[in-house]
Amino acid sequence: MNPYHIFKVVPLSVLQMLARFVAWIIVKMPSLSIMRTIRINMALIAPNLSDIQKKVLTKDIIYHQCLTSIESIKSWAMPPEWSIGQIRDVHNKDVLLAGLANPNGMLAIVPHLGTWEMMNAWLNQFGSPTIMYKPVEGKFANEFILQGRARLNATLVPTDGSGVKAVFKTLKQGGFSIVLPDHVPDPSGGVVVPFFGVKTLTSTLASKLASKTKCALVGLSCIRRDDNCGFDIYCYKLDDSALYDRNAETAAYALNQAMEQMIKDHCSHYMWGYRRFKHIPNLGNPYRKSKAALKAFIQAHNSTASDRTDNPVNDHAKP
């Protein structure tokens, strides 16, 4: 028996309590890798926040990331109807329905924002999406996730050329697919464009699919409610013509800007524990640099980005 199936019998409220306890422990251990990653990410995208503001934001990020992890596991363990039952409200649902009705198909843009796995079951009510899937490490974990997703209407395809062709075919037939566009790609599958003002390697997959098929692009996120009683889904209409530009840099930059707007609405719900900025020109991998080298880069970058006056962090940034 797969040990992960224990999550099927443990109530969500108990799992969330456990996740909060784990988050409390992590925050007390600043030397942990995830804490260092978040600190570096915050230093890169929000250098003007005070130390107190960064401390408050980091705590919120850890809190939400721990909850997202445990909620995703619970979602995989339960039948789709359970996950659908956790959805309380859908904002701008008409945007999603219009996208699904597009004869050129629809591509759902789903960043690592909120509990996106909880949303999968709800989204699968509207058809049979083709989704690219990369096996995770560990036999039991991979079998558990695959079993959970096999209950849905989705067709899982590998993250290689054959998978891309399958997604392309689905869109050409008027179907829909889901892409998490904020993964760090291989150099051959990306371009260097700004993300929250920091030039970094960015995937071109979604942009190329949009350019070739002229499919509808709809941003989606699944955000935990403030009272922790369920989740709300937010739909974003992504119709900037630059998203369909044949120039890879132009389209990828437009997509990054669209994701920024989505993330700003719920910044602490984004997975900032992910090493998104591993490939930065003139710096390399910031997560492997010394404090002095990173500080020098941030100071130089901040001095040349004087035209950037907006605050990339909107929620929970104030103490």
Side-chain angles (χ1 to χ4, degrees):
M1 179 180 176
N2 193 311
Y4 283 94
H5 287 298
I6 188 66
F7 286 90
K8 187 173 183 178
V9 298
V10 180
L12 179 61
S13 59
V14 174
L15 294 174
Q16 289 174 327
M17 187 182 303
L18 175 62
R20 295 188 192 97
F21 177 68
V22 172
W24 180 80
I25 293 176
I26 291 175
V27 170
K28 297 293 183 181
M29 303 175 69
S31 62
L32 290 179
S33 176
I34 187 173
M35 290 289 287
R36 183 172 184 271
T37 297
I38 294 173
R39 285 197 303 269
I40 291 173
N41 285 339
M42 292 300 101
L44 287 169
I45 72 160
N48 295 324
L49 289 182
S50 69
D51 290 341
I52 294 178
Q53 287 174 318
K54 289 178 181 177
K55 184 177 180 179
V56 171
L57 184 57
T58 297
K59 182 179 178 180
D60 282 344
I61 291 169
I62 289 292
Y63 169 80
H64 288 300
Q65 191 158 330
C66 287
L67 282 171
T68 291
S69 297
I70 206 75
E71 290 159 354
S72 296
I73 296 174
K74 179 66 173 178
S75 178
W76 290 322
M78 302 298 289
E81 293 76 19
W82 181 87
S83 295
I84 294 170
Q86 306 306 309
I87 305 303
R88 299 291 180 260
D89 198 4
V90 180
H91 302 264
N92 301 316
K93 186 178 180 180
D94 57 310
V95 171
L96 173 65
L97 296 178
L100 290 167
N102 190 306
N104 295 325
M106 186 196 82
L107 190 61
I109 302 299
V110 184
H112 291 80
L113 177 63
T115 310
W116 61 91
E117 293 290 352
M118 193 73 72
M119 181 175 62
N120 275 348
W122 178 86
L123 188 57
N124 272 250
Q125 297 177 104
F126 298 96
S128 303
T130 299
I131 305 175
M132 301 179 76
Y133 175 74
K134 182 178 181 179
V136 301
E137 294 184 4
K139 177 184 177 182
F140 288 124
N142 190 57
E143 289 179 350
F144 176 70
I145 295 173
L146 279 175
Q147 185 179 45
R149 290 182 173 173
R151 299 191 183 108
L152 306 178
N153 295 323
T155 298
L156 302 181
V157 296
T159 55
D160 56 19
S162 65
V164 173
K165 289 180 180 178
V167 171
F168 180 78
K169 181 179 180 181
T170 296
L171 295 175
K172 292 293 287 185
Q173 293 175 343
F176 75 99
S177 183
I178 304 168
V179 171
L180 276 68
D182 49 348
H183 280 296
V184 177
D186 293 328
S188 61
V191 292
V192 175
V193 291
F195 183 58
F196 281 98
V198 180
K199 290 183 178 180
T200 191
L201 188 64
T202 299
S203 173
T204 58
L205 174 60
S207 303
K208 288 180 178 178
L209 288 170
S211 175
K212 291 180 179 179
T213 66
K214 305 304 179 186
C215 63
L217 296 175
V218 176
L220 294 174
S221 65
C222 183
I223 304 299
R224 184 179 310 100
R225 295 169 68 100
D226 290 339
D227 59 5
N228 288 318
C229 295
F231 302 81
D232 285 353
I233 291 176
Y234 294 82
C235 309
Y236 298 82
K237 186 177 182 179
L238 309 182
D239 57 356
D240 183 353
S241 60
L243 292 165
Y244 297 88
D245 201 290
R246 292 188 177 183
N247 181 280
E249 286 82 2
T250 299
Y253 177 49
L255 186 56
N256 274 354
Q257 286 187 307
M259 285 193 292
E260 283 185 33
Q261 292 303 316
M262 294 173 62
I263 294 167
K264 285 178 183 179
D265 289 344
H266 306 281
C267 186
S268 62
H269 291 256
Y270 187 66
M271 196 170 72
W272 290 113
Y274 179 57
R275 298 186 173 188
R276 176 64 184 85
F277 301 98
K278 287 196 290 187
H279 300 278
I280 298 178
N282 303 320
L283 178 66
N285 188 338
Y287 311 105
R288 294 181 178 178
K289 297 296 180 180
S290 66
K291 289 184 179 179
L294 186 60
K295 182 179 180 180
F297 171 81
I298 291 173
Q299 289 177 339
H301 175 265
N302 202 30
S303 65
T304 58
S306 57
D307 60 326
R308 185 177 178 84
T309 58
D310 60 314
N311 186 348
V313 180
N314 286 348
D315 68 333
H316 304 296
K318 295 181 180 180

